[in-house]
Structures are given as C-alpha cells and as structure tokens.
Amino acid sequence: MKKAIIIFGSTGNLMFKKLIPALDKLIHKGLVDDDFRIYAISRRDNTIDDYIEIAKEHVKDHIDWERFKSHLEYLIFDVKDTNDYKILKKNLIKDGYEDVSVYLAVPPKLFPIIAKGVSESKLIEKKDRNKRIVFEKPFGEDLESAKDINRELWKCFDENQIYRIDHYLGKEMIQNILVVRFANIIFEQSWNRNAIRSVTILSKESEGVLSRGDYYDKIGALKDMLQSHLLQMAALILMDKPKDFSSESIKDAKVKILKNLNFNKDKLILGQYKGYKDADNVEKDSDTETFVYAEVCVDQDEWKGVPIHFVTGKKLDEKRSEIIINFHEKNDLGEYFPKLKPQEDKLIIKVSPTEGVEFQFSVKEPGLSNNIKQASLDYCHNCKAMENTPEAYERLLIELLNDQRTLFTRWDEIETTWKLIEDLKVHKQTPNIYDGYEDILDILESKGVKINDL
Ligand code: BG6
C-alpha cells in the first residue's frame, strides 16, 4: 500500500530541525518505498523550489535535496477551509495513497481546528486503520485545555488512530530502560527500596530559549520538560513489570505508577536564567521558569521512602540527560576493608548526548592495601565502533508509518501527568534568577538540596 505523510507546520522549527533530517535518513536507508510521499502543508505562498531554498537555510544536517524533493509535494493551505482538505483528499485518492499519516507540528491551539478539517473532509474517517493523526507535544497547555482538545479529537477519531508524541520515548536509551531493568536479574531483583536509596532524573541544557520565546514564555520548564519527558522517564524507571511487553500493557503499568506519584510541594525550586527576559518574544516582566528542581515520593510499597529528584533547566553548564539510580551504601566490612571515603553504588543510564550505561561499584584497591575504592563499568552505546544509533524522530516516524503505537503516549498518561503538574503549579513561586550553573548549585544548597549527581 502506498504511504504518504502530510505535515502541517512545515515551515516551523520542528520540521527543519527534526522532521526533514529524520525523513531524509529513512529515505536514505531505504526504510520507505520509492513512492513514499511527503506533503508539506503551509499557508505561505511558495513554490516547491522556494520551499527547498528556505529549508536549506534552516536545516543544519546534510540532506540530499534532489532525492528529498523527489518525495515532496508542497501545498498552500488554509487550515480553516474545509475545501482545502477535500482537495488534498482528492489528490491522495488520485495518486493512490491509501496509507496516510497526518502530522500536526503546530501549536496546540491549532489541534482542534485541523482535526475538525481532517475529519469533516473525511480525510480520516473513524475505523479506518490505514489512517492516523499525530500530535506534537505539548498536548494542551494545562489539564483543562488538554481535556478540551482530547474531547474534540475523540469526536473525530478512534483512540487507536491518535498518536501523541513525546520524542524522548524514541531515544535509544529510553527504550533500553526496559531491557536493562527486566533482562538482567541483578537489576530486576534489586529494583526497590531495599537496594535503592534515591533516583535522579536529570536533563540539563546549555542553550537558552533560542527563537522559541513565544511558545516557551507561556509554558515554562514545568510544562515543557517535567510534564512530558521527565515524568515519562520516571514512569519507565518506577513501573512494575508489565503483564507483557505489548504497547497497551506497558502503558497500563506506566499509568499505574504515575497515579501513585506525589510531588513534595515544599521541595519545589524554580529558576530563571539571567537575560531570559531579553530573549525575543519574551515578556519584559516574565516570571516563567527556565529551571525546575522537584521531588516526588512514590505511594507504592517497594518505593516507600525513596525520593525521586527531577532536575531540568536551560542555560546550564552542559547538555546532558541521565537517569541515576543511587544504591544504599554498604559500610559493614569492618576495619579489614576500610572505605576511605563514602561512596555508594550507582547505575547511570546515559540518555544524551552520550548514550550508554555506567555502573559504579566498590572494589579493593590494587596492591597490598585493602582499601575500598570506586570502580566503574562503562558501556557506551553510541561509540564509534558501532553503527550510529537512530535519532529519536527517525524511530518515531518509522513506528508511525508502520502503525506501531508503543512509543506514543495514551490519553490517560497525558491526563495523569497534567494532573500532577496542576497540583504542583499551585505551589509555584517567583523563580530565582541564576547566572550560570554555579548559581543554581548555590540556590539549591541554600534551600537544603544537595545532590551529588548534579
Ligand atoms: C523539547 C522541549 O520537547 O525537548 C525543548 O520543548 C527542549 O525546550 C527539548 O530543548 C530537549 O530535547 P532533547 O532531545 O534535545 O534533549
């Protein structure tokens, strides 16, 4: 069956930064057929050649533009005009495209408008398993707006036609969490409060808001990162073993644990980087947070008393996303094996930019002394000897085109995470201004938060 993807928002940041490079790689790797077609939808009055020229200015990756163009159609479109959707549908039928994915790389306020057009024009009809519709994150701006959007979507589509993106789920090491946890008996057996003291879920960025001030200033780090990527990582780390590894069972297990998370309201610390208010399209008196430290406890017996720390922010010292599992320290070896400094075992799941798993553990110092020191086993998943690992969007797009749903979020996951953020939002304070990473560490310390993992 001939496949097509229709992308709304094709002159946006996401299209140029992620979707074009990912689609080009899929074409290059032969993972889509020669007749695969990309319909780039835009309200701008361009020709396909103008569009390619604009794309060339924005896309940083190396693209084979001639080859890409051979898969591309450019459509000028008014998203409020049902007629335009009907014309698109006619073209698809005429060209024999029956397997169609409609991708909304647009702000959430356009979701219901485009969904309505797609549905009213019968571009996608309920029960048609060869048609699907994809929504970028954030899915709504808060619980209420997410519910409104979802209500509208359910009028138009079946849940199994709706794909909600959280691109972290497409990252290699996020997928690897389940394998590390459940394919290794040493971890599976010790994955609970008896062995684990705390967990840190970290996503630091060195860049600021760049050109996304308009979007970011209304959203902030709590909604931009915590509601989606960080809580998804937490769910995969903390959830029970799913009944099986099917998409629905994994989602059931994630929702169960998400419902058992409680934010510790007193531990919320927010920050805003110095100079944020000068960024384009940011309010001059904005109190939007660009940094969040938050802590949850888990209302489930195996995790009782284990704090889960979340740390995320922009304009920090580096770009690094990691999940750090801190095990309880063992100190009962007596004087024969002295531990010269405190050290606990750690398992670090490195999400990006390095991908891998590091296990830090205790060994005897080499030589005649019996001192205990720390050693590490460091597995690098994306080192040069191996084939380049696929970028998250590459994987997400191929799953989408193959109608695989595991890496997309279900409505109840979104609803539960929004509820969590809603509860936490009530305790929002004016963010602390920080100038660099050292400042953040000082602010955290002054509020009694000291985490070695940072
Ligand atoms: C996006 C956020 O979802 O994730 C951005 O909107 C953030 O603000 C980005 O920069 C981080 O993703 P990654 O893959 O670069 O870690």
Side-chain angles (χ1 to χ4, degrees), residues 313-356:
K314 296 202 183 279
K315 279 269 180 200
L316 300 178
D317 57 330
E318 59 179 335
K319 178 145 179 73
R320 174 158 64 99
S321 295
E322 278 179 3
I323 300 164
I324 303 143
I325 314 291
N326 292 296
F327 293 92
H328 288 293
E329 190 171 358
K330 292 269 296 165
N331 260 333
D332 53 1
L333 273 73
E335 283 174 14
Y336 190 70
F337 288 115
K339 209 175 214 181
L340 297 186
K341 50 179 188 220
Q343 71 200 23
E344 51 190 19
D345 297 351
K346 276 177 201 274
L347 181 74
I348 306 172
I349 300 178
K350 299 177 180 178
V351 177
S352 71
T354 310
E355 293 174 341

mmCIF file of all heavy atoms in Angstrom, residues 313-356:
data_model
loop_
_atom_site.group_PDB
_atom_site.id
_atom_site.type_symbol
_atom_site.label_atom_id
_atom_site.label_comp_id
_atom_site.label_asym_id
_atom_site.label_seq_id
_atom_site.Cartn_x
_atom_site.Cartn_y
_atom_site.Cartn_z
ATOM 1 N N GLY A 313 16.778 22.235 33.233
ATOM 2 C CA GLY A 313 16.897 23.681 33.066
ATOM 3 C C GLY A 313 17.660 24.049 31.821
ATOM 4 O O GLY A 313 18.389 23.234 31.242
ATOM 5 N N LYS A 314 17.469 25.290 31.421
ATOM 6 C CA LYS A 314 18.193 25.830 30.267
ATOM 7 C C LYS A 314 19.320 26.713 30.759
ATOM 8 O O LYS A 314 19.314 27.143 31.914
ATOM 9 C CB LYS A 314 17.225 26.627 29.388
ATOM 10 C CG LYS A 314 16.124 25.753 28.773
ATOM 11 C CD LYS A 314 15.522 26.391 27.545
ATOM 12 C CE LYS A 314 14.388 25.558 26.970
ATOM 13 N NZ LYS A 314 14.818 24.435 26.130
ATOM 14 N N LYS A 315 20.277 26.990 29.875
ATOM 15 C CA LYS A 315 21.444 27.824 30.175
ATOM 16 C C LYS A 315 22.190 27.296 31.396
ATOM 17 O O LYS A 315 22.532 28.062 32.303
ATOM 18 C CB LYS A 315 21.015 29.272 30.418
ATOM 19 C CG LYS A 315 20.784 30.056 29.155
ATOM 20 C CD LYS A 315 22.039 30.768 28.694
ATOM 21 C CE LYS A 315 21.715 31.540 27.422
ATOM 22 N NZ LYS A 315 22.829 31.898 26.631
ATOM 23 N N LEU A 316 22.404 26.005 31.415
ATOM 24 C CA LEU A 316 23.213 25.407 32.484
ATOM 25 C C LEU A 316 24.590 25.109 31.889
ATOM 26 O O LEU A 316 24.916 25.559 30.799
ATOM 27 C CB LEU A 316 22.518 24.172 33.053
ATOM 28 C CG LEU A 316 21.130 24.459 33.659
ATOM 29 C CD1 LEU A 316 20.475 23.186 34.149
ATOM 30 C CD2 LEU A 316 21.216 25.459 34.813
ATOM 31 N N ASP A 317 25.405 24.362 32.597
ATOM 32 C CA ASP A 317 26.797 24.201 32.167
ATOM 33 C C ASP A 317 26.988 23.274 30.972
ATOM 34 O O ASP A 317 28.025 23.290 30.327
ATOM 35 C CB ASP A 317 27.637 23.704 33.350
ATOM 36 C CG ASP A 317 27.100 22.400 33.918
ATOM 37 O OD1 ASP A 317 25.873 22.174 33.847
ATOM 38 O OD2 ASP A 317 27.895 21.596 34.420
ATOM 39 N N GLU A 318 26.021 22.419 30.695
ATOM 40 C CA GLU A 318 26.217 21.430 29.626
ATOM 41 C C GLU A 318 24.877 20.861 29.194
ATOM 42 O O GLU A 318 23.868 21.050 29.885
ATOM 43 C CB GLU A 318 27.082 20.266 30.142
ATOM 44 C CG GLU A 318 26.426 19.594 31.323
ATOM 45 C CD GLU A 318 27.198 18.416 31.897
ATOM 46 O OE1 GLU A 318 27.980 17.795 31.173
ATOM 47 O OE2 GLU A 318 26.986 18.124 33.081
ATOM 48 N N LYS A 319 24.891 20.154 28.061
ATOM 49 C CA LYS A 319 23.689 19.419 27.661
ATOM 50 C C LYS A 319 23.888 17.975 28.086
ATOM 51 O O LYS A 319 24.835 17.315 27.649
ATOM 52 C CB LYS A 319 23.495 19.512 26.143
ATOM 53 C CG LYS A 319 22.294 18.738 25.653
ATOM 54 C CD LYS A 319 21.619 19.419 24.488
ATOM 55 C CE LYS A 319 20.426 18.628 23.961
ATOM 56 N NZ LYS A 319 19.259 18.675 24.834
ATOM 57 N N ARG A 320 23.054 17.515 28.977
ATOM 58 C CA ARG A 320 23.211 16.133 29.465
ATOM 59 C C ARG A 320 21.881 15.645 30.025
ATOM 60 O O ARG A 320 21.261 16.316 30.845
ATOM 61 C CB ARG A 320 24.286 16.090 30.564
ATOM 62 C CG ARG A 320 24.432 14.739 31.232
ATOM 63 C CD ARG A 320 25.801 14.584 31.880
ATOM 64 N NE ARG A 320 26.043 15.509 32.969
ATOM 65 C CZ ARG A 320 25.906 15.210 34.250
ATOM 66 N NH1 ARG A 320 25.513 14.007 34.629
ATOM 67 N NH2 ARG A 320 26.183 16.094 35.182
ATOM 68 N N SER A 321 21.439 14.493 29.551
ATOM 69 C CA SER A 321 20.257 13.858 30.137
ATOM 70 C C SER A 321 20.665 12.491 30.660
ATOM 71 O O SER A 321 21.273 11.701 29.915
ATOM 72 C CB SER A 321 19.154 13.667 29.097
ATOM 73 O OG SER A 321 18.686 14.904 28.664
ATOM 74 N N GLU A 322 20.310 12.240 31.895
ATOM 75 C CA GLU A 322 20.703 10.975 32.541
ATOM 76 C C GLU A 322 19.680 10.567 33.582
ATOM 77 O O GLU A 322 18.980 11.416 34.134
ATOM 78 C CB GLU A 322 22.023 11.175 33.302
ATOM 79 C CG GLU A 322 23.240 11.079 32.456
ATOM 80 C CD GLU A 322 24.529 11.311 33.235
ATOM 81 O OE1 GLU A 322 24.498 11.498 34.471
ATOM 82 O OE2 GLU A 322 25.562 11.318 32.587
ATOM 83 N N ILE A 323 19.670 9.273 33.845
ATOM 84 C CA ILE A 323 18.880 8.780 34.981
ATOM 85 C C ILE A 323 19.873 8.100 35.908
ATOM 86 O O ILE A 323 20.635 7.222 35.472
ATOM 87 C CB ILE A 323 17.823 7.768 34.509
ATOM 88 C CG1 ILE A 323 16.890 8.462 33.519
ATOM 89 C CG2 ILE A 323 17.053 7.190 35.701
ATOM 90 C CD1 ILE A 323 16.060 7.516 32.698
ATOM 91 N N ILE A 324 19.893 8.528 37.156
ATOM 92 C CA ILE A 324 20.905 7.993 38.071
ATOM 93 C C ILE A 324 20.201 7.253 39.216
ATOM 94 O O ILE A 324 19.367 7.823 39.910
ATOM 95 C CB ILE A 324 21.770 9.145 38.639
ATOM 96 C CG1 ILE A 324 22.393 9.906 37.459
ATOM 97 C CG2 ILE A 324 22.865 8.616 39.556
ATOM 98 C CD1 ILE A 324 22.484 11.369 37.654
ATOM 99 N N ILE A 325 20.548 5.992 39.330
ATOM 100 C CA ILE A 325 19.972 5.163 40.393
ATOM 101 C C ILE A 325 21.045 5.049 41.472
ATOM 102 O O ILE A 325 22.125 4.495 41.219
ATOM 103 C CB ILE A 325 19.647 3.737 39.882
ATOM 104 C CG1 ILE A 325 18.930 3.761 38.527
ATOM 105 C CG2 ILE A 325 18.906 2.913 40.930
ATOM 106 C CD1 ILE A 325 17.539 4.285 38.540
ATOM 107 N N ASN A 326 20.784 5.580 42.637
ATOM 108 C CA ASN A 326 21.750 5.510 43.734
ATOM 109 C C ASN A 326 21.379 4.369 44.667
ATOM 110 O O ASN A 326 20.272 4.359 45.227
ATOM 111 C CB ASN A 326 21.722 6.808 44.539
ATOM 112 C CG ASN A 326 22.269 7.954 43.722
ATOM 113 O OD1 ASN A 326 23.440 7.951 43.360
ATOM 114 N ND2 ASN A 326 21.414 8.921 43.405
ATOM 115 N N PHE A 327 22.295 3.445 44.849
ATOM 116 C CA PHE A 327 22.020 2.314 45.748
ATOM 117 C C PHE A 327 22.450 2.681 47.163
ATOM 118 O O PHE A 327 23.289 3.573 47.364
ATOM 119 C CB PHE A 327 22.753 1.067 45.258
ATOM 120 C CG PHE A 327 22.203 0.567 43.944
ATOM 121 C CD1 PHE A 327 22.749 0.979 42.742
ATOM 122 C CD2 PHE A 327 21.107 -0.287 43.908
ATOM 123 C CE1 PHE A 327 22.233 0.550 41.521
ATOM 124 C CE2 PHE A 327 20.584 -0.729 42.693
ATOM 125 C CZ PHE A 327 21.143 -0.305 41.495
ATOM 126 N N HIS A 328 21.902 2.015 48.149
ATOM 127 C CA HIS A 328 22.305 2.259 49.537
ATOM 128 C C HIS A 328 23.783 1.945 49.694
ATOM 129 O O HIS A 328 24.295 1.008 49.069
ATOM 130 C CB HIS A 328 21.535 1.349 50.503
ATOM 131 C CG HIS A 328 20.096 1.747 50.633
ATOM 132 N ND1 HIS A 328 19.697 2.933 51.207
ATOM 133 C CD2 HIS A 328 18.959 1.100 50.273
ATOM 134 C CE1 HIS A 328 18.382 3.005 51.194
ATOM 135 N NE2 HIS A 328 17.914 1.912 50.625
ATOM 136 N N GLU A 329 24.418 2.693 50.572
ATOM 137 C CA GLU A 329 25.844 2.459 50.780
ATOM 138 C C GLU A 329 26.039 1.278 51.735
ATOM 139 O O GLU A 329 25.332 1.170 52.737
ATOM 140 C CB GLU A 329 26.479 3.720 51.381
ATOM 141 C CG GLU A 329 27.968 3.600 51.369
ATOM 142 C CD GLU A 329 28.664 4.895 51.750
ATOM 143 O OE1 GLU A 329 27.990 5.900 51.995
ATOM 144 O OE2 GLU A 329 29.895 4.852 51.816
ATOM 145 N N LYS A 330 26.983 0.412 51.406
ATOM 146 C CA LYS A 330 27.305 -0.716 52.308
ATOM 147 C C LYS A 330 28.532 -0.321 53.109
ATOM 148 O O LYS A 330 29.545 0.081 52.552
ATOM 149 C CB LYS A 330 27.635 -1.970 51.487
ATOM 150 C CG LYS A 330 26.481 -2.558 50.724
ATOM 151 C CD LYS A 330 25.710 -3.605 51.488
ATOM 152 C CE LYS A 330 26.525 -4.838 51.818
ATOM 153 N NZ LYS A 330 25.902 -5.674 52.824
ATOM 154 N N ASN A 331 28.408 -0.431 54.415
ATOM 155 C CA ASN A 331 29.507 0.043 55.258
ATOM 156 C C ASN A 331 29.893 -0.985 56.302
ATOM 157 O O ASN A 331 30.401 -0.643 57.349
ATOM 158 C CB ASN A 331 29.046 1.320 55.992
ATOM 159 C CG ASN A 331 29.598 2.539 55.287
ATOM 160 O OD1 ASN A 331 30.641 2.450 54.641
ATOM 161 N ND2 ASN A 331 28.901 3.650 55.404
ATOM 162 N N ASP A 332 29.600 -2.249 56.044
ATOM 163 C CA ASP A 332 29.732 -3.211 57.135
ATOM 164 C C ASP A 332 30.873 -4.198 56.925
ATOM 165 O O ASP A 332 30.805 -5.331 57.337
ATOM 166 C CB ASP A 332 28.392 -3.942 57.340
ATOM 167 C CG ASP A 332 27.891 -4.551 56.043
ATOM 168 O OD1 ASP A 332 28.611 -4.410 55.024
ATOM 169 O OD2 ASP A 332 26.810 -5.146 56.036
ATOM 170 N N LEU A 333 31.926 -3.724 56.252
ATOM 171 C CA LEU A 333 33.030 -4.654 56.020
ATOM 172 C C LEU A 333 34.095 -4.590 57.108
ATOM 173 O O LEU A 333 35.091 -5.316 57.064
ATOM 174 C CB LEU A 333 33.654 -4.425 54.625
ATOM 175 C CG LEU A 333 32.956 -5.203 53.503
ATOM 176 C CD1 LEU A 333 31.604 -4.597 53.181
ATOM 177 C CD2 LEU A 333 33.797 -5.251 52.251
ATOM 178 N N GLY A 334 33.937 -3.668 58.030
ATOM 179 C CA GLY A 334 34.856 -3.612 59.172
ATOM 180 C C GLY A 334 36.201 -3.023 58.807
ATOM 181 O O GLY A 334 36.397 -2.490 57.707
ATOM 182 N N GLU A 335 37.158 -3.160 59.735
ATOM 183 C CA GLU A 335 38.444 -2.471 59.559
ATOM 184 C C GLU A 335 39.343 -3.141 58.533
ATOM 185 O O GLU A 335 40.273 -2.535 58.013
ATOM 186 C CB GLU A 335 39.176 -2.420 60.898
ATOM 187 C CG GLU A 335 38.586 -1.362 61.788
ATOM 188 C CD GLU A 335 39.178 -1.385 63.171
ATOM 189 O OE1 GLU A 335 40.226 -2.043 63.361
ATOM 190 O OE2 GLU A 335 38.586 -0.770 64.057
ATOM 191 N N TYR A 336 39.095 -4.391 58.253
ATOM 192 C CA TYR A 336 39.993 -5.098 57.340
ATOM 193 C C TYR A 336 39.894 -4.535 55.916
ATOM 194 O O TYR A 336 40.861 -4.474 55.178
ATOM 195 C CB TYR A 336 39.671 -6.593 57.348
ATOM 196 C CG TYR A 336 40.717 -7.400 56.602
ATOM 197 C CD1 TYR A 336 42.008 -7.542 57.137
ATOM 198 C CD2 TYR A 336 40.433 -7.999 55.385
ATOM 199 C CE1 TYR A 336 42.973 -8.252 56.451
ATOM 200 C CE2 TYR A 336 41.394 -8.711 54.693
ATOM 201 C CZ TYR A 336 42.670 -8.836 55.233
ATOM 202 O OH TYR A 336 43.625 -9.534 54.545
ATOM 203 N N PHE A 337 38.674 -4.082 55.574
ATOM 204 C CA PHE A 337 38.463 -3.443 54.268
ATOM 205 C C PHE A 337 37.980 -2.016 54.481
ATOM 206 O O PHE A 337 36.788 -1.740 54.387
ATOM 207 C CB PHE A 337 37.413 -4.213 53.456
ATOM 208 C CG PHE A 337 37.869 -5.533 52.916
ATOM 209 C CD1 PHE A 337 37.286 -6.716 53.362
ATOM 210 C CD2 PHE A 337 38.878 -5.594 51.960
ATOM 211 C CE1 PHE A 337 37.695 -7.931 52.856
ATOM 212 C CE2 PHE A 337 39.292 -6.812 51.453
ATOM 213 C CZ PHE A 337 38.707 -7.982 51.904
ATOM 214 N N PRO A 338 38.879 -1.094 54.798
ATOM 215 C CA PRO A 338 38.407 0.258 55.112
ATOM 216 C C PRO A 338 37.915 1.004 53.872
ATOM 217 O O PRO A 338 38.498 0.875 52.798
ATOM 218 C CB PRO A 338 39.648 0.951 55.693
ATOM 219 C CG PRO A 338 40.798 0.124 55.310
ATOM 220 C CD PRO A 338 40.336 -1.237 54.907
ATOM 221 N N LYS A 339 36.847 1.729 54.065
ATOM 222 C CA LYS A 339 36.340 2.578 52.982
ATOM 223 C C LYS A 339 36.849 3.966 53.302
ATOM 224 O O LYS A 339 36.472 4.558 54.317
ATOM 225 C CB LYS A 339 34.807 2.543 53.020
ATOM 226 C CG LYS A 339 34.176 2.748 51.687
ATOM 227 C CD LYS A 339 32.663 2.569 51.805
ATOM 228 C CE LYS A 339 32.123 1.944 50.536
ATOM 229 N NZ LYS A 339 30.694 1.753 50.539
ATOM 230 N N LEU A 340 37.751 4.511 52.504
ATOM 231 C CA LEU A 340 38.386 5.775 52.866
ATOM 232 C C LEU A 340 37.435 6.954 52.710
ATOM 233 O O LEU A 340 37.505 7.923 53.429
ATOM 234 C CB LEU A 340 39.652 5.992 52.031
ATOM 235 C CG LEU A 340 40.734 4.936 52.270
ATOM 236 C CD1 LEU A 340 42.004 5.285 51.528
ATOM 237 C CD2 LEU A 340 41.029 4.742 53.761
ATOM 238 N N LYS A 341 36.556 6.893 51.740
ATOM 239 C CA LYS A 341 35.549 7.958 51.638
ATOM 240 C C LYS A 341 34.198 7.328 51.296
ATOM 241 O O LYS A 341 34.140 6.239 50.706
ATOM 242 C CB LYS A 341 35.950 9.013 50.610
ATOM 243 C CG LYS A 341 36.354 8.503 49.267
ATOM 244 C CD LYS A 341 36.697 9.683 48.373
ATOM 245 C CE LYS A 341 36.905 9.152 46.999
ATOM 246 N NZ LYS A 341 37.785 9.500 46.144
ATOM 247 N N PRO A 342 33.145 8.054 51.687
ATOM 248 C CA PRO A 342 31.826 7.475 51.422
ATOM 249 C C PRO A 342 31.615 7.297 49.923
ATOM 250 O O PRO A 342 31.985 8.159 49.146
ATOM 251 C CB PRO A 342 30.844 8.529 51.967
ATOM 252 C CG PRO A 342 31.651 9.623 52.528
ATOM 253 C CD PRO A 342 33.089 9.393 52.253
ATOM 254 N N GLN A 343 31.105 6.200 49.535
ATOM 255 C CA GLN A 343 30.781 6.004 48.113
ATOM 256 C C GLN A 343 29.683 4.962 48.008
ATOM 257 O O GLN A 343 29.699 3.942 48.689
ATOM 258 C CB GLN A 343 32.022 5.587 47.321
ATOM 259 C CG GLN A 343 32.494 4.199 47.620
ATOM 260 C CD GLN A 343 33.953 3.965 47.213
ATOM 261 O OE1 GLN A 343 34.754 4.892 47.102
ATOM 262 N NE2 GLN A 343 34.292 2.720 47.029
ATOM 263 N N GLU A 344 28.718 5.277 47.169
ATOM 264 C CA GLU A 344 27.634 4.309 47.007
ATOM 265 C C GLU A 344 27.629 3.825 45.563
ATOM 266 O O GLU A 344 28.121 4.508 44.672
ATOM 267 C CB GLU A 344 26.301 4.952 47.386
ATOM 268 C CG GLU A 344 26.053 6.269 46.702
ATOM 269 C CD GLU A 344 24.851 7.027 47.236
ATOM 270 O OE1 GLU A 344 24.387 6.744 48.355
ATOM 271 O OE2 GLU A 344 24.377 7.903 46.511
ATOM 272 N N ASP A 345 27.076 2.656 45.371
ATOM 273 C CA ASP A 345 26.988 2.138 44.006
ATOM 274 C C ASP A 345 25.937 2.938 43.250
ATOM 275 O O ASP A 345 24.941 3.371 43.827
ATOM 276 C CB ASP A 345 26.577 0.661 44.025
ATOM 277 C CG ASP A 345 27.606 -0.206 44.724
ATOM 278 O OD1 ASP A 345 28.692 0.310 45.036
ATOM 279 O OD2 ASP A 345 27.315 -1.400 44.946
ATOM 280 N N LYS A 346 26.204 3.091 41.972
ATOM 281 C CA LYS A 346 25.274 3.868 41.142
ATOM 282 C C LYS A 346 25.109 3.172 39.805
ATOM 283 O O LYS A 346 26.088 2.653 39.253
ATOM 284 C CB LYS A 346 25.898 5.215 40.759
ATOM 285 C CG LYS A 346 25.782 6.329 41.736
ATOM 286 C CD LYS A 346 26.549 7.533 41.138
ATOM 287 C CE LYS A 346 26.939 8.518 42.199
ATOM 288 N NZ LYS A 346 25.971 9.472 42.535
ATOM 289 N N LEU A 347 23.915 3.258 39.276
ATOM 290 C CA LEU A 347 23.701 2.842 37.897
ATOM 291 C C LEU A 347 23.262 4.096 37.146
ATOM 292 O O LEU A 347 22.293 4.741 37.546
ATOM 293 C CB LEU A 347 22.600 1.781 37.834
ATOM 294 C CG LEU A 347 22.318 1.270 36.432
ATOM 295 C CD1 LEU A 347 23.433 0.340 35.971
ATOM 296 C CD2 LEU A 347 20.989 0.531 36.392
ATOM 297 N N ILE A 348 24.016 4.442 36.108
ATOM 298 C CA ILE A 348 23.684 5.670 35.377
ATOM 299 C C ILE A 348 23.238 5.295 33.969
ATOM 300 O O ILE A 348 24.001 4.680 33.208
ATOM 301 C CB ILE A 348 24.907 6.612 35.298
ATOM 302 C CG1 ILE A 348 25.449 6.860 36.706
ATOM 303 C CG2 ILE A 348 24.538 7.929 34.614
ATOM 304 C CD1 ILE A 348 26.755 7.617 36.731
ATOM 305 N N ILE A 349 22.017 5.636 33.648
ATOM 306 C CA ILE A 349 21.531 5.410 32.288
ATOM 307 C C ILE A 349 21.723 6.730 31.545
ATOM 308 O O ILE A 349 21.093 7.729 31.871
ATOM 309 C CB ILE A 349 20.059 4.951 32.284
ATOM 310 C CG1 ILE A 349 19.950 3.644 33.068
ATOM 311 C CG2 ILE A 349 19.537 4.806 30.860
ATOM 312 C CD1 ILE A 349 18.573 3.067 33.200
ATOM 313 N N LYS A 350 22.655 6.721 30.598
ATOM 314 C CA LYS A 350 23.012 7.968 29.906
ATOM 315 C C LYS A 350 22.157 8.100 28.654
ATOM 316 O O LYS A 350 22.272 7.298 27.735
ATOM 317 C CB LYS A 350 24.495 7.940 29.537
ATOM 318 C CG LYS A 350 25.395 7.828 30.756
ATOM 319 C CD LYS A 350 26.834 7.734 30.326
ATOM 320 C CE LYS A 350 27.731 7.614 31.550
ATOM 321 N NZ LYS A 350 29.139 7.462 31.195
ATOM 322 N N VAL A 351 21.324 9.117 28.656
ATOM 323 C CA VAL A 351 20.345 9.258 27.569
ATOM 324 C C VAL A 351 20.915 10.084 26.412
ATOM 325 O O VAL A 351 20.802 9.715 25.258
ATOM 326 C CB VAL A 351 19.045 9.904 28.109
ATOM 327 C CG1 VAL A 351 18.027 10.134 27.004
ATOM 328 C CG2 VAL A 351 18.448 9.037 29.222
ATOM 329 N N SER A 352 21.525 11.220 26.754
ATOM 330 C CA SER A 352 22.157 12.023 25.708
ATOM 331 C C SER A 352 23.070 13.083 26.330
ATOM 332 O O SER A 352 22.854 13.440 27.478
ATOM 333 C CB SER A 352 21.111 12.701 24.815
ATOM 334 O OG SER A 352 20.463 13.727 25.513
ATOM 335 N N PRO A 353 24.093 13.573 25.630
ATOM 336 C CA PRO A 353 24.481 13.205 24.275
ATOM 337 C C PRO A 353 25.173 11.845 24.228
ATOM 338 O O PRO A 353 25.100 11.154 23.214
ATOM 339 C CB PRO A 353 25.441 14.318 23.847
ATOM 340 C CG PRO A 353 26.000 14.846 25.119
ATOM 341 C CD PRO A 353 24.948 14.663 26.166
ATOM 342 N N THR A 354 25.868 11.464 25.327
ATOM 343 C CA THR A 354 26.424 10.112 25.354
ATOM 344 C C THR A 354 25.271 9.159 25.604
ATOM 345 O O THR A 354 24.390 9.447 26.409
ATOM 346 C CB THR A 354 27.424 9.981 26.524
ATOM 347 O OG1 THR A 354 28.322 11.061 26.447
ATOM 348 C CG2 THR A 354 28.153 8.668 26.503
ATOM 349 N N GLU A 355 25.278 8.025 24.928
ATOM 350 C CA GLU A 355 24.265 7.011 25.197
ATOM 351 C C GLU A 355 24.979 5.809 25.793
ATOM 352 O O GLU A 355 25.982 5.351 25.237
ATOM 353 C CB GLU A 355 23.574 6.590 23.901
ATOM 354 C CG GLU A 355 22.747 7.695 23.278
ATOM 355 C CD GLU A 355 22.177 7.316 21.919
ATOM 356 O OE1 GLU A 355 22.680 6.374 21.269
ATOM 357 O OE2 GLU A 355 21.227 7.975 21.497
ATOM 358 N N GLY A 356 24.498 5.320 26.901
ATOM 359 C CA GLY A 356 25.143 4.149 27.471
ATOM 360 C C GLY A 356 24.657 3.864 28.878
ATOM 361 O O GLY A 356 23.695 4.473 29.366
#
